Each structure stands twice: as C-alpha cells, then as structure tokens.
C-alpha cells in the first residue's frame, strides 16, 4: 500500500454563478520517502492539490489517504491536528515572522509539535546556524527560504509540502534550496512534494506528476534522479 493516495479527487470552486473545476478526477499515489515534483502551467491545479494534501482545503468528492488516515473524511478539528502533527509547509514567499529572529521563527513552529527536532541541529542542516540571531530583514531571500524550510522540518513532519519554493529566488540560490530539500528527503526519509512550473527541475524528482487543466497529464519515475547541484535550468 502506498503512503499517499489520491482517488478520483475533484475540487470545484463556486464563484457566484460560475463553477470552476479546479480538479477534475485526480488520482495518484506517493511512496514514503519519495521526492515528488508536481509540474504544470499556471492555473493547472497544482496548489489546489497541495492544499488538499496538506489539509488546508477540502475535496468536493473523491478520497485522500495519508498513511492510515482518510484525510478527505476529516472534520475541521481533525484537519487542525493533521496539519499540526503531520505536515510541514513551505510557501513561495517564506511567510516568516519579521520581529522574531531566525531561531525564534523555527522555535515557534517546533513548540506546536509533539515530537520536534532539535533546533540547533535543524538550523545546522539548512546551513544557518551562524545567522540564528538575525532577523528576517537582515538575511537574503535564499536564507529566508531556508529558514522557512527549517521551520517546516523542525516540527518533524512525515510530509513536507513546498509550493514554488524557488519561485522568488535567483538561479544559484534556488539550486541551494532544492539541495536542502533533497538532503532532508534522503537523510530523514521525509516524503517531500515540490510544486514547480519549471519543467527543467523534473530530473531531480523520484516521481514527476504533470498536471494540466485540472487533470493528471502523466506520471513518470526517474530511475536515477539527478542531484539539484547537477541540473541546469
Ligand atoms: N479559492 C479559490 N477560489 C476560486 N477559484 C480558485 C481558488 N483557488 C484556485 N482556484 C482556481 O482553480 C484553478 C487551479 O488553481 P491553482 O491555484 O491550483 O493553480 P496552480 O497550478 O497552482 O497555478 P499557479 O502556477 O499560477 O500557482 C484556477 O483556475 C484557479 O483560478
Ligand atoms: Mg499555485
């Protein structure tokens, strides 16, 4: 049995008179510890998939299972616990708390977890221990994104979800951030799902799920994924 399963998931958004079919019968599975890339054009439904998987939105129909949890059946209280205990989320624009230091941002996230990782070790793993007492405004965009990753993994989640984590970064910095994500996946056996609209990133994934107009276009596997350091885009 796979770790994660989407079965015929549909998501409609009612906008006044108009009904938008954001997802139109999406099915896929993800193994534990897999590094998954979700790729597709703007508006394809990538964020919708990630938000449903992360318990931040609810399906119109279909089933989402994560481990032994049927997330699509959860009420809002169960979803809160699921988001808190099982999911780490990294957004495109970091979303750090500006008046807390790097360390405090990560500590805050760890505090809400049942089994948090050691803060010093987590900061070290993203290469930011020497910046722990700086405020977000005092570090670069790539460093801020690495704080956001540290914050997400400090909770020790089984599932790390990243929505365009390199979207606001330059080329080299983006590669460093992808490397950090790949390392976490390998070392901690965390299941990592990364959204991108950049097809040049697909060689680094164990599995690539291509989404188009609310449907799965293809699902492919790389037998020998490249390291983020090796790719050019
Ligand atoms: N809260 C919402 N209310 C109404 N429509 C929405 C909502 N969220 C998404 N949609 C619509 O659902 C479709 C899929 O959106 P989604 O955000 O998943 O796309 P995406 O692939 O992440 O695009 P992008 O690369 O631009 O972020 C789009 O047509 C979008 O306008
Ligand atoms: Mg999106």
């Amino acid at each position: 049995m796979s770790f994660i399963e989407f079965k015929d998931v549909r998501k409609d958004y009612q906008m006044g008179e108009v009904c938008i079919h954001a997802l139109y019968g999406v099915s896929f599975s993800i193994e534990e510890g897999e590094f998954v890339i979700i790729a597709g054009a703007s508006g394809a439904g990538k964020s919708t998939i990630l938000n449903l998987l992360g318990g931040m939105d609810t399906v119109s129909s279909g089933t989402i299972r994560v481990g032994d949890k049927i997330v699509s059946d959860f009420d809002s209280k169960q979803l809160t616990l699921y988001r808190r205990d099982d999911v780490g989320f990294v957004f495109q624009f970091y979303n750090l708390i500006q008046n807390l230091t790097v360390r405090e941002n990560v500590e805050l996230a760890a505090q809400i977890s049942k089994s948090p990782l050691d803060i010093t070790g987590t900061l070290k793993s993203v290469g930011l221990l020497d910046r722990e007492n700086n405020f977000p405004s005092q570090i670069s965009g790539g460093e801020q994104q690495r704080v956001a990753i540290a914050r997400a993994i400090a909770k020790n989640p089984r599932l790390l979800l990243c929505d365009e984590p390199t979207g606001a970064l330059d080329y080299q910095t983006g590669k460093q951030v992808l490397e950090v994500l790949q390392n976490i996946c390998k070392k901690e056996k965390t299941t990592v799902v990364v959204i991108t609209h950049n097809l040049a990133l697909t060689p680094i994934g164990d599995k690539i799920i291509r989404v188009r107009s609310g449907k799965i276009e293809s699902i492919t596997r790389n037998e020998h994924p490249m390291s983020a350091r090796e790719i050019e885009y």
Side-chain angles (χ1 to χ4, degrees):
M1 197 166 75
S2 299
F3 176 42
I4 294 169
E5 201 178 2
F6 266 53
K7 224 162 120 187
D8 199 21
V9 170
R10 289 162 196 258
K11 179 66 186 177
D12 303 323
Y13 291 107
Q14 194 66 41
M15 302 288 286
E17 303 277 278
V18 199
C19 183
I20 296 164
H21 302 292
L23 296 181
Y24 215 84
V26 164
S27 303
F28 61 80
S29 60
I30 292 175
E31 308 306 320
E32 185 137 42
E34 225 171 14
F35 193 93
V36 179
I37 306 263
I38 297 182
S42 182
K46 305 182 296 296
S47 295
T48 304
I49 289 174
L50 214 67
N51 292 339
L52 291 172
L53 180 54
M56 297 195 298
D57 206 348
T58 53
V59 302
S60 299
S61 68
T63 312
I64 299 174
R65 182 182 56 75
V66 177
D68 55 6
K69 297 174 180 174
I70 309 296
V71 175
S72 48
D73 283 348
F74 279 0
D75 60 26
S76 66
K77 209 168 171 178
Q78 291 169 308
L79 283 174
T80 303
L81 290 175
Y82 168 69
R83 285 194 301 269
R84 197 172 74 186
D85 296 335
D86 295 314
V87 183
F89 223 101
V90 178
F91 300 94
Q92 179 172 358
F93 296 107
Y94 334 134
N95 291 350
L96 301 177
I97 300 176
Q98 296 296 320
N99 64 339
L100 296 181
T101 65
V102 165
R103 172 174 276 270
E104 288 162 351
N105 264 281
V106 178
E107 272 170 353
L108 188 67
Q111 274 166 16
I112 63 166
S113 167
K114 278 193 297 198
S115 53
L117 299 181
D118 170 63
I119 306 292
T120 301
T122 304
L123 286 169
K124 208 169 171 182
S125 71
V126 299
L128 281 178
L129 199 51
D130 55 339
R131 308 306 299 272
E132 64 175 346
N133 295 317
N134 284 105
F135 291 97
S137 63
Q138 298 170 323
I139 58 177
S140 73
E143 288 165 342
Q144 289 184 59
Q145 189 57 298
R146 282 186 276 151
V147 178
I149 293 169
R151 184 181 55 182
I153 62 173
K155 290 167 61 182
N156 197 11
R158 295 179 76 187
L159 188 53
L160 182 59
L161 306 179
C162 314
D163 196 345
E164 296 275 3
T166 62
L169 303 174
D170 66 57
Y171 180 71
Q172 281 305 331
T173 317
K175 275 173 82 152
Q176 282 170 19
V177 162
L178 291 172
E179 237 180 285
V180 169
L181 292 174
Q182 245 181 353
N183 286 339
I184 291 157
C185 181
K186 280 213 187 74
K187 286 198 187 123
E188 308 290 336
K189 303 263 183 292
T190 309
T191 305
V192 179
V193 184
V194 178
I195 286 184
T196 184
H197 62 265
N198 186 353
L199 287 173
L201 298 185
T202 57
I204 70 170
D206 294 317
K207 178 182 281 174
I208 296 90
I209 300 175
R210 287 186 183 77
V211 188
R212 185 174 178 167
S213 306
K215 289 183 182 152
I216 300 293
E217 186 179 32
S218 68
I219 301 177
T220 51
R221 280 189 59 84
N222 284 326
E223 283 314 317
H224 302 287
M226 290 170 76
S227 84
R229 201 188 288 254
E230 292 171 317
I231 55 161
E232 307 220 354
Y233 59 93

